[in-house]
Amino acid sequence: MTQQLILSVPAPILTYDAYADLQGQNVRDVVNAVARGRLPVYQPPTSPDENPAKVKKYINMVALFADAAKQAGIEINLG
């Protein structure tokens, strides 16, 4: 018998502010975690004339949930 775990992701991506509020952290802690590679980031595609460094980045909640599931030994199917 296969067991099923249903997770609810609040949104596929969150702003740094929204993620900080959700986790009870300040935004500076989120920025530092991103800089250290501890949080997965989504950056929207840029056009050739845009500076990628100036494009707003978001916390990738889908990647965060997938990583947490993997660390817990849970196989997930995003199909």
Side-chain angles (χ1 to χ4, degrees), residues 43-47 49-58:
Q43 182 172 340
T46 59
S47 64
D49 60 328
E50 284 183 285
N51 180 349
K54 293 187 178 186
V55 174
K56 189 172 186 172
K57 296 172 184 71
Y58 301 88

Side-chain angles (χ1 to χ4, degrees), residues 5 7 62-70 73-79:
L5 173 65
L7 299 173
V62 173
L64 194 60
F65 271 59
D67 185 50
K70 181 179 177 183
I74 300 169
E75 183 180 332
I76 60 172
N77 182 359
L78 300 175

Side-chain angles (χ1 to χ4, degrees), residues 3-79:
Q3 291 184 336
Q4 186 175 16
L5 173 65
I6 299 172
L7 299 173
S8 176
V9 179
I13 59 174
L14 291 177
T15 63
Y16 287 17
D17 288 332
Y19 182 81
D21 287 344
L22 184 67
Q23 296 298 319
Q25 298 177 327
N26 64 52
V27 177
R28 175 57 48 205
D29 291 337
V30 174
V31 170
N32 289 336
V34 167
R36 291 185 178 114
R38 294 183 178 161
L39 288 172
V41 174
Y42 169 77
Q43 182 172 340
T46 59
S47 64
D49 60 328
E50 284 183 285
N51 180 349
K54 293 187 178 186
V55 174
K56 189 172 186 172
K57 296 172 184 71
Y58 301 88
I59 302 300
N60 184 333
M61 296 301 291
V62 173
L64 194 60
F65 271 59
D67 185 50
K70 181 179 177 183
Q71 289 184 33
I74 300 169
E75 183 180 332
I76 60 172
N77 182 359
L78 300 175

